[in-house]
Amino acid sequence: MVQKLDYLKETPSQTAGPYVHIGLAPGAAGFEIYDKELGWDIAGPNAKGERIRVEGIVIDGIGSPIKDVLLEAWQANADGIYAHPEHPGEVEEGFRGWGRVITDFETGEWGFDTVKPGRVMGRSGKLMAPHINLWIVARGINVGLNTRIYFDDEAEANAADPVINLIEWERRRATLIAKRGERDGQIVYRFDIKLQGQDETVFFDI
């Protein structure tokens, strides 16, 4: 007798909905649940390296800013090491390498303070250029979008990066490059994210 196997069905997908901030960033939604908002401190006070700020805006297909986006960031420290149990004692005390921010409800601007990451060894055995990984979710997005922030003052490292060079067209690669500037003595990188249309940001299927 052949036994019939019952297969589980895929759970239907849905967008993040209007209450994503209450669950993931309650302080921004006006709910004082935590003493300190989860994920706002990426590097911690003891991290070495260059202190930087990364700022931007998320733009929809018609060029309008989206004002209810949540972004999560992962990065290595200045030595190119991630905060992970596989690397005990190799990162500074308090360095998390992970953060969560939301866009301003009025302007759509987002930003976070951290340290500039170092080069990380990729799975292929080749060094990757300094970068920050981003995960983006908002109303209307069924599946979170994954992208990377590279830095325009790391041209030599970018040219050798095994991931960014998977992108055939140079114009498309440029959508992953943050532009360096300075404001009030602080290094600020600008990284705008375009979800659709001309110069749409490159997203990775991971």
Side-chain angles (χ1 to χ4, degrees):
M1 181 178 179
V2 177
Q3 184 178 3
K4 184 178 180 181
L5 298 177
D6 293 325
Y7 293 97
L8 296 176
K9 295 183 179 180
E10 181 180 359
T11 302
S13 64
Q14 65 181 45
T15 66
Y19 305 111
V20 62
H21 300 108
I22 296 176
L24 298 179
F31 294 89
E32 297 182 4
I33 298 176
Y34 307 114
D35 292 335
K36 189 175 184 180
E37 195 74 16
L38 178 65
W40 281 16
D41 189 4
I42 297 178
N46 302 313
K48 58 186 176 182
E50 183 179 36
R51 293 276 169 173
I52 64 172
R53 180 168 179 79
V54 183
E55 296 179 344
I57 197 168
V58 181
I59 303 168
D60 66 15
I62 61 173
S64 299
I66 304 176
K67 301 175 181 179
D68 61 350
V69 182
L70 182 140
L71 305 95
E72 291 190 354
W74 290 270
Q75 69 167 88
N77 68 1
D79 292 328
I81 302 173
Y82 282 95
H84 192 276
E86 293 181 355
H87 308 294
E90 295 185 57
V91 298
E92 304 88 332
E93 182 180 357
F95 179 84
R96 300 181 61 170
W98 173 83
R100 176 185 289 162
V101 297
I102 65 170
T103 51
D104 183 277
F105 293 148
E106 298 296 327
T107 66
E109 292 276 344
W110 58 268
F112 56 83
D113 298 302
T114 185
V115 295
K116 191 175 182 182
R119 302 186 70 179
V120 179
M121 186 64 67
R123 295 180 181 178
S124 64
K126 296 181 180 180
L127 276 174
M128 294 185 286
H131 65 275
I132 298 174
N133 303 289
L134 281 186
W135 180 72
I136 304 155
V137 65
R139 280 183 287 180
I141 298 178
N142 286 319
V143 179
L145 302 174
N146 294 276
T147 190
R148 282 186 172 188
I149 301 172
Y150 290 87
F151 304 96
D152 68 349
D153 55 335
E154 297 284 350
E156 184 176 347
N158 293 341
D161 183 88
V163 174
I164 200 171
N165 279 288
L166 292 173
I167 304 166
E168 182 177 357
W169 296 285
E170 190 167 341
R171 179 173 176 175
R172 300 286 289 134
R173 297 178 197 170
T175 68
L176 302 181
I177 307 298
K179 294 178 173 57
R180 183 183 178 105
E182 186 175 335
R183 185 176 64 240
D184 299 328
Q186 183 182 29
I187 300 301
V188 180
Y189 285 93
R190 183 76 187 185
F191 186 74
D192 292 332
I193 300 165
K194 296 184 178 181
L195 298 184
Q196 293 178 317
Q198 186 175 1
D199 296 327
E200 174 187 327
T201 299
V202 170
F203 300 106
F204 297 99
D205 184 12
I206 59 176

Coordinates of all heavy atoms in Angstrom, one line a residue, residues 99-183:
G99 N 21.4 47.4 13.2 CA 20.6 48.5 13.7 C 19.3 48.5 12.9 O 19.1 47.9 11.9
R100 N 18.4 49.3 13.5 CA 17.0 49.4 12.9 C 16.6 50.9 13.0 O 16.6 51.5 14.1 CB 16.1 48.5 13.6 CG 14.6 48.6 13.2 CD 13.7 47.8 14.0 NE 13.9 46.4 13.8 CZ 13.5 45.4 14.6 NH1 12.9 45.7 15.8 NH2 13.7 44.1 14.3
V101 N 16.2 51.4 11.9 CA 15.7 52.8 11.8 C 14.5 52.9 11.0 O 14.2 52.0 10.2 CB 16.8 53.8 11.3 CG1 18.0 53.8 12.2 CG2 17.2 53.5 9.9
I102 N 13.7 54.0 11.2 CA 12.6 54.2 10.3 C 12.7 55.6 9.7 O 13.4 56.5 10.2 CB 11.3 54.1 11.1 CG1 11.2 55.2 12.2 CG2 11.1 52.7 11.7 CD1 9.8 55.3 12.9
T103 N 11.9 55.8 8.7 CA 11.9 57.1 8.0 C 11.1 58.1 8.9 O 10.2 57.7 9.6 CB 11.3 57.1 6.6 OG1 10.0 56.4 6.7 CG2 12.2 56.3 5.7
D104 N 11.5 59.4 8.7 CA 10.7 60.4 9.4 C 9.3 60.5 8.8 O 9.1 60.5 7.6 CB 11.4 61.8 9.2 CG 10.7 62.9 9.9 OD1 9.8 63.5 9.3 OD2 11.2 63.3 11.0
F105 N 8.3 60.5 9.6 CA 6.9 60.5 9.1 C 6.5 61.7 8.3 O 5.6 61.7 7.6 CB 5.9 60.3 10.3 CG 6.0 59.0 11.0 CD1 5.8 58.9 12.4 CD2 6.4 57.9 10.3 CE1 5.9 57.7 13.0 CE2 6.5 56.6 10.9 CZ 6.2 56.5 12.3
E106 N 7.3 62.8 8.5 CA 6.9 64.0 7.8 C 7.7 64.2 6.5 O 7.2 64.6 5.5 CB 7.2 65.3 8.7 CG 6.3 65.3 9.9 CD 4.8 65.4 9.6 OE1 4.5 66.1 8.6 OE2 4.0 64.9 10.4
T107 N 9.0 63.9 6.6 CA 9.9 64.2 5.4 C 10.3 62.9 4.6 O 10.7 63.0 3.5 CB 11.2 64.8 5.9 OG1 12.0 63.9 6.7 CG2 10.9 66.1 6.7
G108 N 10.2 61.7 5.2 CA 10.7 60.5 4.6 C 12.2 60.3 4.8 O 12.7 59.3 4.3
E109 N 12.9 61.2 5.4 CA 14.3 61.0 5.6 C 14.6 59.9 6.6 O 13.9 59.8 7.6 CB 15.0 62.3 6.0 CG 15.0 63.4 5.0 CD 16.2 63.3 4.0 OE1 17.1 62.6 4.3 OE2 16.1 64.0 3.0
W110 N 15.7 59.2 6.4 CA 16.2 58.3 7.4 C 17.7 58.5 7.6 O 18.4 59.1 6.8 CB 15.9 56.8 7.0 CG 16.5 56.4 5.7 CD1 16.0 56.5 4.4 CD2 17.9 55.9 5.5 NE1 16.9 56.1 3.5 CE2 18.0 55.7 4.1 CE3 18.9 55.6 6.3 CZ2 19.2 55.3 3.5 CZ3 20.1 55.1 5.7 CH2 20.2 55.0 4.4
G111 N 18.2 58.0 8.7 CA 19.7 58.1 8.9 C 20.1 57.3 10.2 O 19.3 57.1 11.1
F112 N 21.4 57.0 10.2 CA 21.9 56.3 11.4 C 23.4 56.7 11.5 O 24.1 57.0 10.5 CB 21.7 54.8 11.4 CG 22.3 54.1 10.2 CD1 23.6 53.7 10.1 CD2 21.4 53.8 9.1 CE1 24.1 53.0 9.0 CE2 21.9 53.1 8.0 CZ 23.2 52.7 8.0
D113 N 23.9 56.6 12.7 CA 25.3 56.8 13.0 C 26.0 55.5 13.3 O 25.4 54.6 14.0 CB 25.5 57.7 14.3 CG 24.9 59.1 14.0 OD1 25.3 59.8 13.1 OD2 24.0 59.5 14.8
T114 N 27.2 55.4 12.8 CA 28.0 54.1 13.0 C 29.4 54.4 12.7 O 29.9 55.5 12.8 CB 27.4 53.1 12.0 OG1 28.1 51.8 12.3 CG2 27.6 53.4 10.6
V115 N 30.2 53.3 12.5 CA 31.6 53.5 12.1 C 31.7 52.9 10.7 O 30.9 52.0 10.3 CB 32.6 52.7 13.0 CG1 32.6 53.4 14.4 CG2 32.3 51.3 13.1
K116 N 32.6 53.4 9.9 CA 32.8 52.8 8.6 C 33.4 51.4 8.6 O 34.4 51.2 9.3 CB 33.8 53.7 7.8 CG 33.8 53.4 6.3 CD 34.7 54.4 5.5 CE 34.7 54.1 4.1 NZ 35.6 55.0 3.3
P117 N 32.7 50.5 8.0 CA 33.2 49.1 8.1 C 34.5 48.8 7.3 O 34.8 49.6 6.4 CB 32.0 48.3 7.5 CG 31.3 49.2 6.6 CD 31.5 50.6 7.2
G118 N 35.2 47.8 7.7 CA 36.3 47.4 6.9 C 36.0 46.4 5.9 O 34.8 46.0 5.7
R119 N 37.0 45.9 5.1 CA 36.8 44.9 4.1 C 36.6 43.5 4.7 O 37.2 43.2 5.7 CB 37.9 44.9 3.1 CG 38.2 46.2 2.4 CD 39.3 46.2 1.4 NE 38.8 45.4 0.2 CZ 39.6 45.2 -0.9 NH1 40.8 45.7 -0.9 NH2 39.1 44.5 -1.9
V120 N 35.6 42.8 4.1 CA 35.2 41.5 4.6 C 35.6 40.4 3.6 O 35.4 40.6 2.4 CB 33.7 41.4 4.9 CG1 33.3 40.1 5.4 CG2 33.4 42.5 6.0
M121 N 36.1 39.3 4.1 CA 36.4 38.2 3.1 C 35.1 37.5 2.7 O 34.2 37.1 3.5 CB 37.2 37.1 3.8 CG 37.7 36.0 2.9 SD 38.8 36.6 1.5 CE 40.2 37.1 2.5
G122 N 34.9 37.4 1.4 CA 33.6 36.8 0.9 C 33.7 35.3 0.8 O 34.8 34.7 1.0
R123 N 32.6 34.7 0.5 CA 32.6 33.2 0.4 C 33.5 32.7 -0.7 O 33.9 31.5 -0.6 CB 31.1 32.8 0.1 CG 30.2 33.1 1.3 CD 28.8 32.6 1.0 NE 27.9 32.9 2.1 CZ 26.6 32.6 2.0 NH1 26.0 32.1 1.0 NH2 25.8 32.9 3.1
S124 N 33.7 33.5 -1.7 CA 34.6 33.1 -2.8 C 36.1 33.1 -2.5 O 36.9 32.7 -3.3 CB 34.3 33.9 -4.0 OG 34.7 35.3 -3.8
G125 N 36.4 33.6 -1.3 CA 37.8 33.8 -0.9 C 38.4 35.1 -1.3 O 39.6 35.4 -1.2
K126 N 37.5 36.0 -1.9 CA 38.0 37.3 -2.3 C 37.5 38.4 -1.4 O 36.4 38.3 -0.9 CB 37.5 37.6 -3.7 CG 38.0 36.7 -4.8 CD 37.5 37.0 -6.2 CE 38.0 36.1 -7.3 NZ 37.5 36.5 -8.6
L127 N 38.3 39.4 -1.1 CA 37.9 40.5 -0.3 C 36.8 41.3 -0.9 O 36.8 41.7 -2.1 CB 39.1 41.4 0.0 CG 40.0 41.0 1.2 CD1 41.2 41.9 1.2 CD2 39.3 40.9 2.5
M128 N 35.8 41.6 -0.1 CA 34.7 42.5 -0.5 C 35.1 43.9 -0.1 O 35.8 44.1 0.9 CB 33.4 42.1 0.1 CG 32.9 40.7 -0.5 SD 31.2 40.3 0.1 CE 31.6 39.9 1.8
A129 N 34.6 44.9 -0.8 CA 34.8 46.3 -0.4 C 34.0 46.6 0.8 O 33.0 45.9 1.1 CB 34.3 47.2 -1.6
P130 N 34.4 47.6 1.6 CA 33.6 48.0 2.7 C 32.1 48.3 2.3 O 31.9 49.0 1.3 CB 34.2 49.3 3.2 CG 35.7 49.2 2.7 CD 35.6 48.5 1.4
H131 N 31.2 47.8 3.1 CA 29.8 47.9 2.7 C 28.9 47.7 3.9 O 29.3 47.1 4.9 CB 29.4 47.0 1.6 CG 29.4 45.5 2.0 ND1 30.6 44.8 2.0 CD2 28.5 44.7 2.6 CE1 30.4 43.6 2.4 NE2 29.1 43.5 2.8
I132 N 27.7 48.2 3.8 CA 26.6 48.0 4.8 C 25.5 47.3 4.2 O 25.0 47.7 3.1 CB 26.2 49.3 5.5 CG1 27.4 50.0 6.2 CG2 25.0 49.0 6.5 CD1 27.0 51.3 6.8
N133 N 25.0 46.2 4.7 CA 23.8 45.5 4.2 C 22.5 46.2 4.7 O 22.4 46.5 5.9 CB 23.8 44.0 4.6 CG 25.1 43.3 4.2 OD1 25.3 43.1 3.0 ND2 26.0 43.0 5.2
L134 N 21.5 46.3 3.8 CA 20.3 46.9 4.2 C 19.1 46.0 3.9 O 19.1 45.3 2.8 CB 20.0 48.2 3.5 CG 20.7 49.5 3.9 CD1 20.2 50.7 3.1 CD2 20.5 49.7 5.4
W135 N 18.1 45.9 4.8 CA 16.9 45.2 4.5 C 15.8 46.3 4.7 O 15.7 47.0 5.7 CB 16.7 44.1 5.5 CG 15.4 43.3 5.3 CD1 15.1 42.5 4.3 CD2 14.3 43.3 6.2 NE1 13.8 41.9 4.5 CE2 13.3 42.4 5.7 CE3 14.0 44.0 7.4 CZ2 12.1 42.2 6.3 CZ3 12.8 43.7 8.0 CH2 11.8 42.9 7.5
I136 N 14.9 46.4 3.7 CA 13.9 47.4 3.6 C 12.5 46.8 3.6 O 12.2 45.9 2.8 CB 14.1 48.3 2.4 CG1 15.6 48.8 2.3 CG2 13.1 49.4 2.3 CD1 16.1 49.1 1.0
V137 N 11.6 47.4 4.4 CA 10.2 46.9 4.4 C 9.3 48.1 4.6 O 9.6 49.1 5.3 CB 10.0 45.8 5.5 CG1 10.2 46.4 6.9 CG2 8.6 45.2 5.4
A138 N 8.1 48.1 4.0 CA 7.2 49.1 4.1 C 5.8 48.6 3.6 O 5.7 47.5 3.0 CB 7.6 50.4 3.3
R139 N 4.8 49.4 3.8 CA 3.5 49.1 3.2 C 3.6 49.0 1.7 O 4.3 49.8 1.0 CB 2.4 50.1 3.5 CG 1.9 50.0 4.9 CD 0.8 51.0 5.2 NE 1.3 52.3 5.4 CZ 0.6 53.4 5.6 NH1 -0.7 53.3 5.6 NH2 1.2 54.6 5.7
G140 N 3.0 47.9 1.1 CA 3.1 47.7 -0.3 C 4.2 46.9 -0.8 O 4.3 46.5 -2.0
I141 N 5.1 46.5 0.1 CA 6.2 45.6 -0.2 C 5.9 44.2 0.4 O 5.9 44.0 1.6 CB 7.6 46.1 0.4 CG1 7.9 47.5 -0.3 CG2 8.7 45.1 0.1 CD1 9.2 48.1 0.3
N142 N 5.7 43.2 -0.5 CA 5.3 41.9 0.0 C 6.5 41.2 0.6 O 6.3 40.5 1.6 CB 4.8 41.0 -1.2 CG 3.4 41.5 -1.6 OD1 2.6 41.7 -0.8 ND2 3.2 41.5 -2.9
V143 N 7.7 41.3 0.1 CA 8.9 40.7 0.6 C 9.9 41.7 0.8 O 10.1 42.6 -0.1 CB 9.4 39.6 -0.4 CG1 10.7 39.0 0.1 CG2 8.4 38.5 -0.7
G144 N 10.6 41.7 2.0 CA 11.6 42.7 2.3 C 12.7 42.8 1.2 O 13.1 41.7 0.7
L145 N 13.1 44.0 0.9 CA 14.1 44.2 -0.1 C 15.5 44.2 0.5 O 15.8 44.9 1.5 CB 13.8 45.5 -0.9 CG 12.5 45.6 -1.5 CD1 12.2 46.9 -2.1 CD2 12.3 44.5 -2.6
N146 N 16.5 43.5 -0.2 CA 17.9 43.5 0.3 C 18.8 44.3 -0.7 O 18.7 44.0 -1.9 CB 18.4 42.1 0.4 CG 17.6 41.3 1.5 OD1 18.0 41.4 2.7 ND2 16.6 40.6 1.1
T147 N 19.6 45.2 -0.1 CA 20.5 45.9 -1.0 C 21.8 46.1 -0.1 O 21.9 45.7 1.0 CB 20.0 47.2 -1.5 OG1 20.9 47.7 -2.5 CG2 19.7 48.2 -0.4
R148 N 22.7 46.8 -0.7 CA 24.0 47.2 0.0 C 24.4 48.6 -0.2 O 24.0 49.2 -1.3 CB 25.2 46.3 -0.6 CG 25.2 44.9 -0.1 CD 26.5 44.2 -0.5 NE 26.6 42.9 0.1 CZ 27.7 42.1 0.0 NH1 28.7 42.5 -0.8 NH2 27.8 41.0 0.6
I149 N 25.1 49.2 0.7 CA 25.6 50.5 0.6 C 27.1 50.4 0.5 O 27.8 49.8 1.4 CB 25.3 51.3 1.9 CG1 23.8 51.5 2.1 CG2 26.0 52.7 1.8 CD1 23.5 52.1 3.4
Y150 N 27.7 50.8 -0.6 CA 29.1 50.9 -0.8 C 29.5 52.4 -0.7 O 28.6 53.3 -0.7 CB 29.5 50.4 -2.2 CG 29.5 48.9 -2.3 CD1 28.3 48.2 -2.7 CD2 30.6 48.1 -2.0 CE1 28.2 46.8 -2.8 CE2 30.5 46.7 -2.1 CZ 29.3 46.1 -2.5 OH 29.2 44.7 -2.5
F151 N 30.8 52.7 -0.7 CA 31.2 54.1 -0.5 C 32.0 54.6 -1.6 O 32.9 53.9 -2.2 CB 32.0 54.1 0.8 CG 31.3 53.6 2.0 CD1 31.5 52.3 2.4 CD2 30.4 54.3 2.7 CE1 30.8 51.7 3.5 CE2 29.7 53.8 3.8 CZ 29.9 52.5 4.2
D152 N 31.7 55.9 -2.0 CA 32.4 56.4 -3.3 C 33.8 56.7 -3.1 O 34.6 56.9 -4.1 CB 31.6 57.6 -3.8 CG 31.7 58.9 -2.8 OD1 32.2 58.7 -1.7 OD2 31.3 60.0 -3.3
D153 N 34.3 56.8 -1.8 CA 35.8 57.0 -1.6 C 36.5 55.7 -1.5 O 37.7 55.7 -1.1 CB 36.0 57.9 -0.4 CG 35.4 57.3 0.8 OD1 34.4 56.6 0.7 OD2 35.8 57.6 1.9
E154 N 35.9 54.6 -1.9 CA 36.6 53.3 -1.9 C 36.6 52.7 -3.3 O 36.3 51.5 -3.5 CB 35.8 52.3 -0.9 CG 35.8 52.7 0.5 CD 37.1 52.5 1.2 OE1 38.0 51.8 0.6 OE2 37.3 52.9 2.4
A155 N 36.9 53.6 -4.3 CA 36.8 53.2 -5.7 C 37.7 51.9 -6.0 O 37.2 51.1 -6.7 CB 37.3 54.4 -6.5
E156 N 38.9 51.9 -5.5 CA 39.7 50.7 -5.8 C 39.2 49.4 -5.2 O 39.1 48.4 -5.9 CB 41.1 51.0 -5.2 CG 42.1 49.9 -5.6 CD 43.5 50.2 -5.1 OE1 43.8 51.3 -4.7 OE2 44.4 49.2 -5.1
A157 N 38.7 49.5 -4.0 CA 38.1 48.3 -3.4 C 36.8 47.9 -4.1 O 36.5 46.7 -4.3 CB 37.8 48.5 -1.9
N158 N 36.0 48.9 -4.5 CA 34.7 48.7 -5.2 C 35.0 48.0 -6.5 O 34.2 47.1 -6.9 CB 34.0 50.0 -5.4 CG 33.5 50.6 -4.2 OD1 33.4 50.0 -3.1 ND2 33.2 51.9 -4.2
A159 N 36.0 48.4 -7.2 CA 36.4 47.8 -8.5 C 36.7 46.3 -8.4 O 36.6 45.6 -9.4 CB 37.5 48.6 -9.2
A160 N 37.2 45.9 -7.3 CA 37.6 44.5 -7.1 C 36.5 43.7 -6.3 O 36.7 42.5 -6.1 CB 38.9 44.4 -6.3
D161 N 35.4 44.3 -5.9 CA 34.4 43.6 -5.1 C 33.7 42.6 -5.9 O 33.2 42.8 -7.0 CB 33.4 44.6 -4.6 CG 32.4 44.0 -3.7 OD1 32.6 43.9 -2.5 OD2 31.3 43.6 -4.2
P162 N 33.7 41.3 -5.5 CA 33.1 40.2 -6.2 C 31.5 40.3 -6.4 O 31.0 39.7 -7.3 CB 33.5 39.0 -5.5 CG 33.7 39.4 -4.1 CD 34.2 40.8 -4.2
V163 N 30.9 41.0 -5.5 CA 29.4 41.1 -5.5 C 29.0 42.3 -6.4 O 28.2 42.0 -7.3 CB 28.8 41.3 -4.1 CG1 27.3 41.6 -4.2 CG2 29.1 40.1 -3.2
I164 N 29.5 43.4 -6.2 CA 29.1 44.6 -7.1 C 29.5 44.3 -8.6 O 28.8 44.8 -9.5 CB 29.7 45.9 -6.6 CG1 28.9 47.1 -7.1 CG2 31.2 46.0 -6.9 CD1 29.3 48.4 -6.5
N165 N 30.5 43.5 -8.8 CA 30.9 43.2 -10.2 C 30.0 42.2 -10.8 O 30.2 41.9 -12.0 CB 32.4 42.8 -10.2 CG 33.3 44.1 -10.2 OD1 33.4 44.8 -11.2 ND2 33.9 44.3 -9.1
L166 N 29.1 41.6 -10.1 CA 28.1 40.7 -10.7 C 27.1 41.5 -11.5 O 26.4 41.0 -12.4 CB 27.3 39.9 -9.6 CG 28.1 38.9 -8.9 CD1 27.3 38.3 -7.7 CD2 28.6 37.8 -9.8
I167 N 27.1 42.8 -11.3 CA 26.1 43.7 -12.0 C 26.8 44.2 -13.3 O 27.9 44.8 -13.2 CB 25.8 44.9 -11.1 CG1 25.2 44.5 -9.7 CG2 24.8 45.9 -11.8 CD1 25.1 45.5 -8.7
E168 N 26.2 43.9 -14.4 CA 26.8 44.1 -15.7 C 27.0 45.6 -16.0 O 28.1 46.0 -16.5 CB 26.0 43.4 -16.8 CG 26.6 43.5 -18.1 CD 25.8 42.8 -19.2 OE1 24.8 42.1 -18.8 OE2 26.2 42.8 -20.4
W169 N 26.0 46.4 -15.8 CA 26.0 47.8 -16.2 C 26.5 48.7 -15.1 O 26.0 48.7 -14.0 CB 24.6 48.2 -16.7 CG 24.1 47.4 -17.8 CD1 24.5 47.5 -19.1 CD2 23.2 46.4 -17.8 NE1 23.9 46.6 -19.9 CE2 23.0 45.9 -19.1 CE3 22.4 45.8 -16.8 CZ2 22.1 44.9 -19.5 CZ3 21.5 44.7 -17.1 CH2 21.4 44.3 -18.5
E170 N 27.5 49.5 -15.5 CA 28.1 50.4 -14.5 C 27.0 51.4 -14.0 O 27.1 51.8 -12.8 CB 29.2 51.2 -15.2 CG 30.1 52.0 -14.2 CD 31.4 52.5 -14.8 OE1 31.8 51.9 -15.8 OE2 31.9 53.4 -14.2
R171 N 26.1 51.8 -14.8 CA 25.1 52.7 -14.3 C 24.2 52.1 -13.2 O 23.8 52.8 -12.2 CB 24.2 53.1 -15.5 CG 23.0 54.1 -15.0 CD 22.3 54.6 -16.3 NE 21.1 55.4 -15.9 CZ 20.4 56.1 -16.7 NH1 20.6 56.0 -18.1 NH2 19.4 56.8 -16.3
R172 N 24.0 50.8 -13.3 CA 23.3 50.1 -12.2 C 24.1 50.0 -11.0 O 23.6 50.1 -9.9 CB 22.8 48.7 -12.7 CG 21.9 48.8 -13.9 CD 20.5 49.2 -13.6 NE 19.8 48.2 -12.8 CZ 19.1 48.4 -11.7 NH1 19.0 49.6 -11.2 NH2 18.5 47.4 -11.1
R173 N 25.4 49.7 -11.1 CA 26.3 49.6 -10.0 C 26.3 50.9 -9.2 O 26.4 50.9 -8.0 CB 27.8 49.4 -10.4 CG 28.0 48.0 -11.1 CD 29.4 47.9 -11.5 NE 29.6 46.9 -12.5 CZ 30.7 46.7 -13.2 NH1 31.8 47.5 -13.0 NH2 30.9 45.8 -14.1
A174 N 26.2 52.0 -9.9 CA 26.2 53.4 -9.3 C 25.1 53.5 -8.3 O 25.2 54.4 -7.3 CB 26.2 54.5 -10.3
T175 N 24.0 52.8 -8.4 CA 22.9 52.9 -7.5 C 23.2 52.4 -6.1 O 22.4 52.6 -5.1 CB 21.6 52.2 -8.0 OG1 21.8 50.8 -8.0 CG2 21.3 52.7 -9.4
L176 N 24.3 51.7 -6.0 CA 24.7 51.1 -4.7 C 25.8 52.0 -4.0 O 26.3 51.6 -2.9 CB 25.3 49.7 -4.8 CG 24.3 48.7 -5.5 CD1 25.0 47.3 -5.5 CD2 23.0 48.6 -4.7
I177 N 26.2 53.1 -4.6 CA 27.3 53.9 -4.1 C 26.8 55.1 -3.3 O 26.1 55.9 -3.8 CB 28.2 54.3 -5.2 CG1 28.6 53.2 -6.1 CG2 29.4 55.1 -4.7 CD1 29.5 52.1 -5.4
A178 N 27.2 55.2 -2.0 CA 26.9 56.4 -1.2 C 27.9 57.4 -1.4 O 29.1 57.2 -1.6 CB 26.8 56.0 0.3
K179 N 27.4 58.7 -1.5 CA 28.3 59.8 -1.7 C 28.8 60.5 -0.4 O 27.9 60.8 0.4 CB 27.6 60.8 -2.7 CG 27.4 60.3 -4.0 CD 26.6 61.3 -4.9 CE 26.5 60.8 -6.3 NZ 25.8 59.5 -6.5
R180 N 30.1 60.7 -0.3 CA 30.6 61.2 0.9 C 30.6 62.7 0.9 O 30.8 63.4 -0.1 CB 32.1 60.8 1.0 CG 32.8 61.2 2.3 CD 34.3 60.8 2.3 NE 35.0 61.2 3.5 CZ 35.4 60.4 4.5 NH1 35.1 59.1 4.4 NH2 36.1 60.9 5.5
G181 N 30.2 63.3 2.1 CA 30.2 64.7 2.3 C 30.6 65.0 3.8 O 30.9 64.1 4.5
E182 N 30.4 66.2 4.2 CA 30.7 66.7 5.5 C 29.7 67.7 6.0 O 29.3 68.6 5.2 CB 32.1 67.2 5.6 CG 32.5 67.5 7.1 CD 34.0 67.9 7.2 OE1 34.8 67.5 6.3 OE2 34.4 68.6 8.1
R183 N 29.3 67.6 7.2 CA 28.3 68.6 7.8 C 28.7 68.8 9.2 O 28.7 67.9 10.0 CB 26.9 68.1 7.6 CG 25.9 69.2 8.1 CD 24.4 68.7 7.8 NE 24.1 67.6 8.6 CZ 23.7 66.4 8.0 NH1 23.6 66.3 6.7 NH2 23.4 65.4 8.8

